[in-house]
Amino acid sequence: MSTSDDSAPTSPTSPSARAAADRDTAVQYVLPLVVRIERAVPPGPPARTDALQAAARAVLVLLSDERATDPGGPWHRAVRDWQDGRIRKVVRRARGAEWRRASALPGITVTGDGEHPAEVRVFPPVPLDGWPKDLARLQVSGTELADPAPPAAPAPGTPVLWLNPELEMSAGKAMAQAGHGAQLAWWDLDAAARAAWRAAGFPLAVRTAPPGVWEGLLTAGLPVVRDAGFTEIAPGSATVVADHPALRRAAAARN
């Protein structure tokens, strides 16, 4: 499974919002995400929703990690240069020795909550042409993921990343899009809301919006991910709406 996304966030709060011309001439960075998919059961493939949620949390954990936020941290410059408004992510799969080699590289592994919990490892951003060999060799295509049963409704007060019900996306594509949505939510939250979310362990849910709800989400004043259209879906497609209670309150106050 591999997805490379170059999505255009609607949020103006990118911490490194450069002009388009500057952005295009700068070194291009990508955020690698690797999901563990073993053949054997257990652990076997994770449930699709659990993998999407683990990917979204992995992005948040990296963005809030002191190695990325501290100006003297080893990941700070790469994360800063990557956050140029494109928020490009690549999702690949690994198993067995591939997973063990990937796990030995600097990064953070996030484990999901399912019966066979998803394991997603996020790595500091790398240049498009500068991947570590143990990541560059990972599969470019692979197993699709499914949910054994429809996911339950999110608990009240849980931040939800709503997927567009009119789009069909591979698991890798949806994982990247969920990561984009989590990132836009993080950018738009104030410091207090960020701290509270992090202290709680970044609870969140990823769900497909119910019929008739999607259009209302798009006009609710919440962060919206719009895809650049390089893979799977048409350019400009709205893929995710980030629905965090603090963002809901802020949108209501503006209106």
Side-chain angles (χ1 to χ4, degrees):
M1 168 194 315
S2 176
T3 282
S4 176
D5 270 346
D6 191 354
S7 291
T10 59
S11 169
T13 55
S14 165
S16 181
R18 291 180 283 179
D22 294 338
R23 192 173 60 199
D24 291 339
T25 58
V27 174
Q28 299 296 298
Y29 282 82
V30 62
L31 186 77
L33 293 152
V34 176
V35 57
R36 183 183 183 189
I37 302 180
E38 299 287 353
R39 286 178 176 170
V41 178
R48 179 186 174 100
T49 295
D50 198 43
L52 268 58
Q53 293 172 170
R57 281 200 299 272
V59 171
L60 293 167
V61 169
L62 179 129
L63 289 172
S64 62
D65 192 281
E66 286 78 8
R67 287 168 288 185
T69 60
D70 187 336
W75 300 348
H76 178 75
R77 182 170 181 177
V79 171
R80 181 201 64 191
D81 290 346
W82 165 65
Q83 292 190 110
D84 65 354
R86 291 186 185 280
I87 60 175
R88 179 180 288 163
K89 299 174 181 69
V90 169
V91 178
R92 293 186 175 180
R93 69 180 179 94
R95 63 172 180 259
E98 296 172 332
W99 175 256
R100 290 190 292 273
R101 286 193 294 267
S103 297
L105 298 174
I108 305 167
T109 297
V110 171
T111 302
D113 303 316
E115 182 178 355
H116 300 302
E119 292 180 73
V120 177
R121 189 164 179 84
V122 62
F123 303 86
V126 298
L128 278 174
D129 58 356
W131 282 65
K133 65 179 182 179
D134 285 330
L135 298 183
R137 65 175 52 151
L138 294 179
Q139 291 289 335
V140 176
S141 61
T143 306
E144 184 54 272
L145 301 177
D147 284 315
T158 301
V160 182
L161 304 173
W162 295 107
L163 302 176
N164 186 338
E166 299 176 358
L167 296 177
E168 291 188 8
M169 294 184 282
S170 68
K173 181 76 171 181
M175 287 172 68
Q177 296 296 312
H180 296 336
Q183 187 166 357
L184 295 195
W186 181 253
W187 282 351
D188 278 10
L189 290 170
D190 62 28
R194 285 185 179 184
W197 201 12
R198 184 186 186 195
F202 292 119
L204 59 83
V206 179
R207 298 290 188 272
T208 299
V213 173
W214 179 249
E215 290 302 323
L217 289 167
L218 290 175
T219 58
L222 299 167
V224 179
V225 178
R226 294 191 181 275
D227 194 70
F230 292 126
T231 59
E232 298 192 23
I233 56 179
S237 298
T239 58
V240 178
V241 173
D243 190 357
H244 189 290
L247 298 180
R248 280 272 180 181
R249 292 191 292 270
R254 289 194 298 270
N255 295 329

